[in-house]
Protein backbone atom coordinates (compact mmCIF):
# COMPACT_ATOMS: atom_id res chain seq x y z
CA UNK A 1 0.00 0.00 0.00
CA UNK A 2 1.50 3.36 -1.08
CA UNK A 3 1.48 6.09 1.53
CA UNK A 4 2.81 9.64 1.83
CA UNK A 5 3.45 12.13 4.63
CA UNK A 6 0.69 14.62 5.38
CA UNK A 7 -0.80 16.79 8.12
CA UNK A 8 -3.97 14.90 8.86
CA UNK A 9 -7.01 16.41 10.62
CA UNK A 10 -9.48 14.06 12.24
CA UNK A 11 -12.71 14.66 14.07
CA UNK A 12 -12.42 14.12 17.83
CA UNK A 13 -15.03 13.87 20.54
CA UNK A 14 -14.46 17.58 21.18
CA UNK A 15 -13.34 19.47 18.08
CA UNK A 16 -10.55 18.10 15.90
CA UNK A 17 -7.01 16.69 16.12
CA UNK A 18 -4.08 17.45 13.83
CA UNK A 19 -0.95 15.33 13.40
CA UNK A 20 1.82 14.61 10.92
CA UNK A 21 0.97 11.11 9.71
CA UNK A 22 1.21 8.66 6.82
CA UNK A 23 -1.74 9.01 4.45
CA UNK A 24 -2.94 6.20 2.21
CA UNK A 25 -2.68 7.14 -1.48
CA UNK A 26 -5.92 5.23 -2.14
CA UNK A 27 -7.71 7.82 0.01
CA UNK A 28 -6.84 10.71 -2.34
CA UNK A 29 -10.00 12.37 -3.60
CA UNK A 30 -11.26 12.70 -7.16
CA UNK A 31 -9.36 14.92 -9.59
CA UNK A 32 -7.74 14.70 -13.01
CA UNK A 33 -4.27 15.92 -12.03
CA UNK A 34 -1.89 14.42 -9.45
CA UNK A 35 0.86 16.73 -8.25
CA UNK A 36 4.11 16.18 -6.35
CA UNK A 37 3.82 19.00 -3.83
CA UNK A 38 7.13 20.78 -3.29
CA UNK A 39 6.23 23.88 -1.27
CA UNK A 40 3.29 25.12 0.75
CA UNK A 41 2.77 27.92 3.22
CA UNK A 42 0.99 28.79 6.48
CA UNK A 43 -1.86 31.26 6.03
CA UNK A 44 -4.26 32.55 8.67
CA UNK A 45 -6.88 30.02 7.53
CA UNK A 46 -4.33 27.20 7.88
CA UNK A 47 -3.81 28.34 11.47
CA UNK A 48 -7.55 28.03 12.06
CA UNK A 49 -7.60 24.55 10.49
CA UNK A 50 -4.62 22.99 12.31
CA UNK A 51 -5.60 24.39 15.71
CA UNK A 52 -9.31 23.63 15.22
CA UNK A 53 -10.05 27.16 16.45
CA UNK A 54 -12.66 27.71 13.77
CA UNK A 55 -14.59 25.06 11.84
CA UNK A 56 -12.91 25.62 8.47
CA UNK A 57 -12.46 21.85 7.93
CA UNK A 58 -15.72 20.35 6.74
CA UNK A 59 -14.67 16.83 5.66
CA UNK A 60 -12.83 14.12 7.63
CA UNK A 61 -10.21 12.85 7.45
CA UNK A 62 -8.75 16.04 5.95
CA UNK A 63 -5.28 16.99 4.83
CA UNK A 64 -4.79 20.61 5.89
CA UNK A 65 -3.18 23.29 3.71
CA UNK A 66 -4.92 25.68 1.35
CA UNK A 67 -2.18 26.21 -1.24
CA UNK A 68 0.77 24.51 -2.90
CA UNK A 69 3.32 24.73 -5.67
CA UNK A 70 4.66 21.60 -7.28
CA UNK A 71 5.16 19.46 -10.38
CA UNK A 72 2.48 17.48 -12.21
CA UNK A 73 3.03 13.71 -11.89
CA UNK A 74 0.02 12.49 -13.89
CA UNK A 75 -2.76 14.23 -15.76
CA UNK A 76 -5.80 13.39 -17.85
CA UNK A 77 -6.68 17.10 -18.12
CA UNK A 78 -6.02 18.62 -21.57
CA UNK A 79 -4.11 21.63 -20.18
CA UNK A 80 -1.59 19.70 -18.08
CA UNK A 81 1.07 17.05 -18.57
CA UNK A 82 3.66 15.37 -16.35
CA UNK A 83 6.50 17.76 -15.54
CA UNK A 84 4.42 20.99 -15.65
CA UNK A 85 5.10 23.39 -12.77
CA UNK A 86 1.86 24.52 -11.15
CA UNK A 87 0.38 26.61 -8.36
CA UNK A 88 -2.94 25.89 -6.67
CA UNK A 89 -4.77 27.80 -4.00
CA UNK A 90 -8.26 27.93 -2.58
CA UNK A 91 -11.12 26.01 -4.22
CA UNK A 92 -11.87 24.40 -0.86
CA UNK A 93 -8.46 22.69 -0.52
CA UNK A 94 -7.85 21.97 3.15
CA UNK A 95 -11.57 22.63 3.83
CA UNK A 96 -13.68 20.27 1.71
CA UNK A 97 -10.98 18.81 -0.59
CA UNK A 98 -7.76 17.12 0.63
CA UNK A 99 -5.16 19.84 0.90
CA UNK A 100 -1.57 20.92 0.48
CA UNK A 101 0.42 19.75 3.53
CA UNK A 102 1.22 16.49 1.81
CA UNK A 103 3.78 14.99 -0.52
CA UNK A 104 0.99 14.35 -3.05
CA UNK A 105 -2.21 16.14 -4.01
CA UNK A 106 -4.93 15.23 -6.49
CA UNK A 107 -7.02 18.15 -7.75
CA UNK A 108 -9.07 19.36 -10.71
CA UNK A 109 -6.92 20.61 -13.57
CA UNK A 110 -9.27 23.62 -13.83
CA UNK A 111 -8.01 24.79 -10.42
CA UNK A 112 -4.38 25.03 -11.46
CA UNK A 113 -2.38 28.05 -12.57
CA UNK A 114 0.92 27.64 -14.43
CA UNK A 115 3.86 28.75 -12.29
CA UNK A 116 4.62 32.13 -13.85
CA UNK A 117 7.99 32.76 -15.50
CA UNK A 118 10.19 34.57 -13.05
CA UNK A 119 8.85 32.85 -9.91
CA UNK A 120 10.27 29.65 -8.42
CA UNK A 121 7.91 27.21 -6.69
CA UNK A 122 9.37 28.36 -3.35
CA UNK A 123 8.81 32.03 -4.20
CA UNK A 124 5.24 31.28 -5.31
CA UNK A 125 4.52 29.84 -1.88
CA UNK A 126 6.37 32.66 -0.14
CA UNK A 127 3.68 34.75 -1.86
CA UNK A 128 1.00 32.12 -1.13
CA UNK A 129 -2.69 32.80 -0.73
CA UNK A 130 -1.93 35.83 1.47
CA UNK A 131 0.24 37.49 -1.17
CA UNK A 132 -2.05 36.56 -4.02
CA UNK A 133 -4.94 38.09 -2.04
CA UNK A 134 -2.87 41.26 -1.60
CA UNK A 135 -2.43 41.33 -5.39
CA UNK A 136 -6.17 40.79 -5.99
CA UNK A 137 -6.73 43.77 -3.68
CA UNK A 138 -4.26 45.93 -5.62
CA UNK A 139 -5.98 44.93 -8.88
CA UNK A 140 -9.38 45.96 -7.43
CA UNK A 141 -7.98 49.39 -6.51
CA UNK A 142 -6.44 49.77 -9.97
CA UNK A 143 -9.76 48.78 -11.60
CA UNK A 144 -11.38 51.49 -9.51
CA UNK A 145 -9.00 53.92 -11.20
CA UNK A 146 -6.75 54.64 -8.24
CA UNK A 147 -3.25 55.92 -9.09
CA UNK A 148 -0.35 57.03 -6.89
CA UNK A 149 -1.08 60.70 -7.65
CA UNK A 150 -4.50 60.38 -5.93
CA UNK A 151 -2.79 60.30 -2.54
CA UNK A 152 -1.54 57.85 0.09
CA UNK A 153 -2.91 54.35 0.62
CA UNK A 154 -3.32 52.61 3.96
CA UNK A 155 -2.57 48.94 4.70
CA UNK A 156 -3.88 47.36 7.92
CA UNK A 157 -2.53 44.21 9.58
CA UNK A 158 0.68 45.53 8.08
CA UNK A 159 3.18 43.10 9.60
CA UNK A 160 1.05 40.07 8.65
CA UNK A 161 1.20 38.12 5.39
CA UNK A 162 -1.37 40.05 3.33
CA UNK A 163 -0.15 43.33 4.79
CA UNK A 164 3.56 42.73 4.13
CA UNK A 165 3.02 41.77 0.48
CA UNK A 166 0.53 44.64 -0.02
CA UNK A 167 3.10 47.17 1.24
CA UNK A 168 5.85 45.79 -1.02
CA UNK A 169 3.54 45.80 -4.07
CA UNK A 170 2.04 49.25 -3.51
CA UNK A 171 5.38 50.90 -2.81
CA UNK A 172 6.91 49.36 -5.96
CA UNK A 173 3.94 50.75 -7.93
CA UNK A 174 4.79 54.22 -6.63
CA UNK A 175 2.22 54.67 -3.87
CA UNK A 176 2.93 56.41 -0.59
CA UNK A 177 2.02 53.67 1.90
CA UNK A 178 0.73 54.20 5.45
CA UNK A 179 1.13 50.97 7.45
CA UNK A 180 -1.18 50.30 10.41
CA UNK A 181 0.23 47.79 12.88
CA UNK A 182 -0.11 46.61 16.46
CA UNK A 183 3.62 45.87 16.39
CA UNK A 184 5.25 49.28 16.20
CA UNK A 185 8.49 47.43 17.11
CA UNK A 186 8.37 46.26 13.46
CA UNK A 187 8.70 49.83 12.16
CA UNK A 188 12.14 49.21 10.58
CA UNK A 189 10.84 46.07 8.81
CA UNK A 190 7.75 47.88 7.49
CA UNK A 191 9.83 50.82 6.26
CA UNK A 192 12.21 48.43 4.47
CA UNK A 193 9.22 46.89 2.70
CA UNK A 194 8.25 50.37 1.49
CA UNK A 195 5.98 51.98 4.10
CA UNK A 196 6.60 55.70 4.50
CA UNK A 197 4.45 56.19 7.60
CA UNK A 198 3.61 53.82 10.45
CA UNK A 199 0.50 54.24 12.59
CA UNK A 200 -0.50 52.31 15.71
CA UNK A 201 -3.51 50.09 15.03
CA UNK A 202 -5.15 51.48 18.21
CA UNK A 203 -5.73 54.68 16.22
CA UNK A 204 -8.16 52.74 14.03
CA UNK A 205 -9.60 50.08 16.32
CA UNK A 206 -11.85 52.17 18.62
CA UNK A 207 -15.35 53.15 17.43
CA UNK A 208 -15.07 56.41 15.46
CA UNK A 209 -17.26 59.02 13.78
CA UNK A 210 -19.25 58.27 10.61
CA UNK A 211 -16.94 60.66 8.74
CA UNK A 212 -13.41 61.65 9.73
CA UNK A 213 -10.63 63.76 8.28
CA UNK A 214 -9.80 62.52 4.76
CA UNK A 215 -6.46 60.75 5.18
CA UNK A 216 -6.03 58.27 2.29
CA UNK A 217 -7.19 57.76 -1.26
CA UNK A 218 -7.36 54.00 -0.89
CA UNK A 219 -6.56 51.08 1.31
CA UNK A 220 -6.20 47.33 1.77
CA UNK A 221 -7.76 45.99 4.94
CA UNK A 222 -7.11 42.56 6.42
CA UNK A 223 -8.57 43.43 9.84
CA UNK A 224 -12.32 44.17 9.40
CA UNK A 225 -14.66 45.36 12.18
CA UNK A 226 -14.21 48.92 13.56
CA UNK A 227 -10.85 49.21 11.76
CA UNK A 228 -12.56 48.85 8.39
CA UNK A 229 -15.34 51.24 9.47
CA UNK A 230 -12.72 53.86 10.41
CA UNK A 231 -10.79 53.27 7.19
CA UNK A 232 -13.93 54.05 5.20
CA UNK A 233 -14.69 57.13 7.32
CA UNK A 234 -11.22 58.54 6.60
CA UNK A 235 -11.10 57.76 2.86
CA UNK A 236 -10.86 60.73 0.50
CA UNK A 237 -13.67 61.73 -1.85
CA UNK A 238 -14.23 58.94 -4.48
CA UNK A 239 -11.53 56.77 -2.96
CA UNK A 240 -11.73 52.99 -2.44
CA UNK A 241 -10.97 50.33 0.14
CA UNK A 242 -10.40 46.65 -0.67
CA UNK A 243 -11.60 44.47 2.25
CA UNK A 244 -10.03 41.02 2.35
CA UNK A 245 -9.73 39.95 5.99
CA UNK A 246 -11.18 39.62 9.46
CA UNK A 247 -8.16 39.39 11.75
CA UNK A 248 -9.83 41.92 14.07
CA UNK A 249 -13.42 40.72 13.68
CA UNK A 250 -16.08 39.74 11.20
CA UNK A 251 -18.51 42.56 11.96
CA UNK A 252 -18.64 45.90 10.20
CA UNK A 253 -20.03 48.62 12.49
CA UNK A 254 -19.98 51.33 9.82
CA UNK A 255 -22.34 54.03 8.56
CA UNK A 256 -23.33 54.75 4.96
CA UNK A 257 -21.93 58.30 5.25
CA UNK A 258 -18.64 57.59 3.38
CA UNK A 259 -20.59 55.97 0.52
CA UNK A 260 -23.32 58.59 0.06
CA UNK A 261 -21.42 61.75 1.02
CA UNK A 262 -17.95 60.98 -0.38
CA UNK A 263 -18.70 58.38 -3.06
CA UNK A 264 -16.26 55.98 -1.38
CA UNK A 265 -16.29 52.41 -2.75
CA UNK A 266 -15.80 49.23 -0.74
CA UNK A 267 -14.53 46.24 -2.72
CA UNK A 268 -14.84 42.69 -1.41
CA UNK A 269 -11.91 40.40 -2.16
CA UNK A 270 -12.34 36.63 -2.28
CA UNK A 271 -9.38 34.46 -3.18
CA UNK A 272 -11.00 31.03 -2.79
CA UNK A 273 -13.48 30.89 -5.67
CA UNK A 274 -11.87 33.68 -7.72
CA UNK A 275 -12.24 32.85 -11.45
CA UNK A 276 -9.20 31.50 -13.31
CA UNK A 277 -8.52 34.55 -15.56
CA UNK A 278 -8.31 36.82 -12.49
CA UNK A 279 -5.97 34.34 -10.80
CA UNK A 280 -3.75 34.17 -13.86
CA UNK A 281 -3.61 37.96 -14.00
CA UNK A 282 -2.77 38.18 -10.29
CA UNK A 283 0.02 35.57 -10.47
CA UNK A 284 1.52 37.12 -13.57
CA UNK A 285 1.53 40.57 -11.96
CA UNK A 286 3.12 39.09 -8.81
CA UNK A 287 5.97 37.78 -10.96
CA UNK A 288 6.71 41.28 -12.27
CA UNK A 289 5.58 43.69 -9.54
CA UNK A 290 6.90 42.08 -6.36
CA UNK A 291 10.55 42.75 -5.56
CA UNK A 292 12.13 39.28 -4.97
CA UNK A 293 14.54 40.71 -2.39
CA UNK A 294 11.62 42.11 -0.36
CA UNK A 295 9.77 38.80 -0.68
CA UNK A 296 12.80 36.95 0.70
CA UNK A 297 13.13 39.50 3.49
CA UNK A 298 9.57 38.83 4.69
CA UNK A 299 9.84 35.00 4.43
CA UNK A 300 10.84 32.30 6.92
CA UNK A 301 11.18 28.63 5.95
CA UNK A 302 9.90 25.70 8.03
CA UNK A 303 9.38 21.94 7.57
CA UNK A 304 6.14 19.96 7.56
CA UNK A 305 6.80 18.95 11.20
CA UNK A 306 6.64 22.62 12.31
CA UNK A 307 3.33 23.50 10.63
CA UNK A 308 1.00 22.80 13.57
CA UNK A 309 2.99 24.90 16.07
CA UNK A 310 3.42 27.66 13.50
CA UNK A 311 -0.32 27.72 12.76
CA UNK A 312 -0.97 28.53 16.43
CA UNK A 313 1.65 31.31 16.31
CA UNK A 314 0.03 32.83 13.21
CA UNK A 315 -3.30 33.04 15.06
CA UNK A 316 -1.58 34.59 18.07
CA UNK A 317 -0.19 37.33 15.78
CA UNK A 318 3.38 36.20 16.55
CA UNK A 319 4.47 35.60 12.96
CA UNK A 320 5.85 38.39 10.85
CA UNK A 321 5.35 38.34 7.08
CA UNK A 322 5.22 34.97 5.34
CA UNK A 323 6.10 31.34 6.10
CA UNK A 324 7.06 28.79 3.43
CA UNK A 325 6.81 25.09 4.14
CA UNK A 326 9.31 22.77 2.46
CA UNK A 327 7.43 19.58 1.60
CA UNK A 328 9.65 17.64 -0.79
P1 LIG B 1 -1.60 37.12 9.37
O1 LIG B 1 -1.90 36.46 10.66
O2 LIG B 1 -0.28 36.90 8.72
O3 LIG B 1 -1.78 38.70 9.54
C1 LIG B 1 -2.87 39.28 10.18
C2 LIG B 1 -2.40 40.57 10.82
O4 LIG B 1 -3.54 41.27 11.31
C3 LIG B 1 -1.51 40.37 12.03
O5 LIG B 1 -0.17 40.16 11.68
C4 LIG B 1 -1.72 41.66 12.75
O6 LIG B 1 -0.92 42.66 12.11
C5 LIG B 1 -3.18 42.00 12.46
N1 LIG B 1 -4.06 41.59 13.56
C6 LIG B 1 -4.13 40.38 14.16
N2 LIG B 1 -5.07 40.38 15.12
C7 LIG B 1 -5.60 41.62 15.12
C8 LIG B 1 -6.61 42.26 15.90
N3 LIG B 1 -7.27 41.60 16.87
N4 LIG B 1 -6.91 43.53 15.63
C9 LIG B 1 -6.26 44.21 14.66
N5 LIG B 1 -5.28 43.67 13.91
C10 LIG B 1 -4.97 42.39 14.13
O7 LIG B 1 -2.78 36.72 8.38
P2 LIG B 1 -2.85 36.91 6.79
O8 LIG B 1 -2.16 38.17 6.44
O9 LIG B 1 -2.51 35.65 6.13
O10 LIG B 1 -4.43 37.14 6.62
C11 LIG B 1 -5.01 38.35 7.07
C12 LIG B 1 -6.52 38.25 7.01
O11 LIG B 1 -6.93 38.09 5.66
C13 LIG B 1 -7.10 37.07 7.78
O12 LIG B 1 -8.28 37.47 8.40
C14 LIG B 1 -7.38 36.05 6.68
O13 LIG B 1 -8.39 35.17 7.04
C15 LIG B 1 -7.77 36.97 5.55
N6 LIG B 1 -7.58 36.37 4.23
C16 LIG B 1 -8.63 36.44 3.37
C17 LIG B 1 -8.52 35.94 2.10
C18 LIG B 1 -9.64 36.10 1.17
O14 LIG B 1 -9.82 35.31 0.25
N7 LIG B 1 -10.44 37.13 1.34
C19 LIG B 1 -7.31 35.24 1.67
C20 LIG B 1 -6.20 35.32 2.62
C21 LIG B 1 -6.37 35.85 3.87
P3 LIG B 1 -0.07 43.73 12.96
O15 LIG B 1 0.72 42.91 13.93
O16 LIG B 1 0.76 44.43 11.93
O17 LIG B 1 -1.09 44.62 13.62
Amino acid sequence: MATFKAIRIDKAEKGTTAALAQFDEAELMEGDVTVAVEWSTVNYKDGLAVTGKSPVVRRFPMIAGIDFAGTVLESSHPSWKAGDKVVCNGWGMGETHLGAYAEKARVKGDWLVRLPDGLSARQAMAVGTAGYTAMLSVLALEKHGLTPKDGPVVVTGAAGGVGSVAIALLSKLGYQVIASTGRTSEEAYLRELGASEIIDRNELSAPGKPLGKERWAGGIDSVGSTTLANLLAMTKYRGAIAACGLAGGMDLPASVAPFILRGVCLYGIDSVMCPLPNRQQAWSRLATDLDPAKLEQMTQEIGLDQVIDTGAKVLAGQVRGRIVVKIA
Side-chain angles (χ1 to χ4, degrees):
M1 182 174 65
T3 63
F4 57 87
K5 256 193 300 181
I7 305 268
R8 181 182 166 118
I9 313 268
D10 281 292
K11 200 152 185 63
E13 212 169 291
K14 270 191 184 164
T16 56
T17 58
L20 181 58
Q22 287 295 321
F23 204 89
D24 184 350
E25 218 174 297
E27 284 188 72
L28 277 174
M29 289 169 74
E30 75 288 354
D32 44 13
V33 182
T34 306
V35 179
V37 178
E38 286 149 15
W39 295 93
S40 184
T41 170
V42 185
N43 298 282
Y44 194 86
K45 194 185 270 178
D46 296 314
L48 294 174
V50 296
T51 58
K53 211 170 163 193
S54 183
V56 294
V57 176
R58 298 191 298 282
R59 183 247 188 218
F60 299 95
M62 175 51 73
I63 295 174
I66 64 168
D67 46 7
F68 68 70
T71 303
V72 172
L73 290 171
E74 284 170 29
S75 166
S76 58
H77 188 282
S79 301
W80 305 108
K81 59 177 188 333
D84 285 342
K85 297 279 185 192
V86 292
V87 176
C88 190
N89 60 283
W91 300 116
M93 268 201 314
E95 299 182 68
T96 52
H97 191 95
L98 293 177
Y101 296 143
E103 290 168 309
K104 267 188 194 178
R106 186 172 299 138
V107 295
K108 290 186 181 165
D110 291 345
W111 293 356
L112 297 169
V113 170
R114 199 168 297 281
L115 182 70
D117 285 343
L119 277 187
S120 67
R122 183 183 184 279
Q123 284 172 320
M125 282 303 103
V127 170
T129 295
Y132 144 81
T133 302
M135 188 75 237
L136 290 175
S137 304
V138 170
L139 290 170
L141 296 179
E142 287 182 347
K143 198 168 170 198
H144 176 79
L146 194 75
T147 67
K149 67 174 170 30
D150 294 320
V153 287
V154 63
V155 172
T156 63
V162 173
S164 294
V165 178
I167 293 168
L169 286 169
L170 290 165
S171 70
K172 177 133 192 255
L173 291 167
Y175 288 91
Q176 184 194 331
V177 183
I178 302 170
S180 163
T181 182
R183 289 180 271 179
T184 43
S185 54
E186 295 293 356
E187 174 160 356
Y189 163 77
L190 296 169
R191 285 192 187 277
E192 274 174 53
L193 290 183
S196 53
E197 188 184 337
I198 316 295
I199 59 175
D200 192 309
R201 77 178 180 210
N202 289 332
E203 268 190 51
L204 299 173
S205 58
K209 294 183 187 152
L211 283 181
K213 184 171 174 273
E214 294 177 50
R215 289 176 75 175
W216 32 74
I220 296 180
D221 176 55
S222 56
V223 173
S225 193
T226 41
T227 299
L228 176 54
N230 287 325
L231 241 56
L232 291 164
M234 293 184 223
T235 302
K236 286 187 180 187
Y237 190 75
R238 301 201 85 173
I241 300 294
C244 63
L246 44 56
M250 205 170 183
D251 58 334
L252 179 52
S255 90
V256 296
F259 309 127
I260 64 172
L261 297 176
R262 289 191 182 151
V264 167
C265 284
L266 175 59
Y267 292 95
I269 307 299
D270 165 59
S271 68
V272 178
M273 301 308 287
C274 178
L276 195 59
N278 303 65
R279 287 171 187 260
Q280 287 162 332
Q281 183 192 15
W283 280 106
S284 112
R285 283 283 303 273
L286 282 158
T288 54
D289 291 5
L290 184 59
D291 180 341
K294 284 186 182 173
L295 180 63
E296 191 53 37
Q297 190 186 346
M298 68 177 85
T299 302
Q300 301 165 57
E301 184 179 317
I302 62 167
L304 208 43
D305 56 341
Q306 292 164 283
V307 164
I308 296 170
D309 285 350
T310 306
K313 286 186 190 151
V314 168
L315 295 192
Q318 291 166 357
V319 168
R320 184 181 90 175
R322 301 282 303 129
I323 306 279
V324 280
V325 183
K326 189 173 168 61
I327 308 276

